[in-house]
Amino acid sequence: MEVFSNEGYDTYQASNGKLALEIVRNVTPDLVLLDMKIPGMDGLDILKHIKSMNPAIKVIMMTAYGELDMIKEATDLGAIMHFTKPFDIDELRMAVNNQLRNQPNSGFAVGS
């Protein structure tokens, strides 16, 4: 959150799947960083809900090593890329900046 706030983005953090979907519904972020494992819901289910609400929302998945079988399904559901934990925060920062570069007033929700 601190890194992306310092980049000038409006950031939101959700501690569970229900809150993540509520944020997406109320804020309509340009990009969501979504953990594959989030309390209350499966990351793939959250991704499906996000894409049904607004297919234009970009989603970057964060996954633990060993969940790579789920990455193909996430990509099929519309995730634009994924990062395997532990990941380099600077690489994630650059990926987010590249995705949002030409969008004014970009914001995103962060699931944790």
Side-chain angles (χ1 to χ4, degrees):
M1 294 261 320
E2 182 180 333
V3 168
F4 293 111
S5 290
N6 289 340
E7 291 285 314
Y9 296 112
D10 294 329
T11 61
Y12 303 87
Q13 185 170 358
S15 57
N16 60 58
K18 183 179 176 185
L19 181 57
L21 291 175
E22 186 177 311
I23 291 169
V24 169
R25 191 174 296 109
N26 295 329
V27 177
T28 312
D30 297 301
L31 188 141
V32 174
L33 297 176
L34 179 60
D35 201 326
M36 198 66 85
K37 301 284 187 189
I38 182 170
M41 289 182 91
D42 177 85
L44 293 174
D45 288 334
I46 296 170
L47 175 60
K48 289 176 194 173
H49 280 74
I50 290 170
K51 289 301 187 173
S52 71
M53 283 188 264
N54 185 340
I57 295 174
K58 297 177 180 182
V59 179
I60 295 176
M61 301 299 296
M62 297 179 293
T63 177
Y65 182 77
E67 296 173 343
L68 297 179
D69 56 326
M70 297 165 73
I71 291 301
K72 180 180 181 340
E73 186 174 354
T75 302
D76 291 344
L77 291 170
I80 56 173
M81 60 182 18
H82 77 279
F83 282 83
T84 303
K85 297 182 235 174
F87 51 81
D88 182 318
I89 191 66
D90 286 326
E91 288 180 16
L92 182 61
R93 181 183 58 77
M94 287 187 297
V96 167
N97 285 334
N98 285 338
Q99 291 298 321
L100 299 177
R101 185 174 326 172
N102 295 318
Q103 295 183 26
N105 302 318
S106 294
F108 58 93
V110 179
S112 65

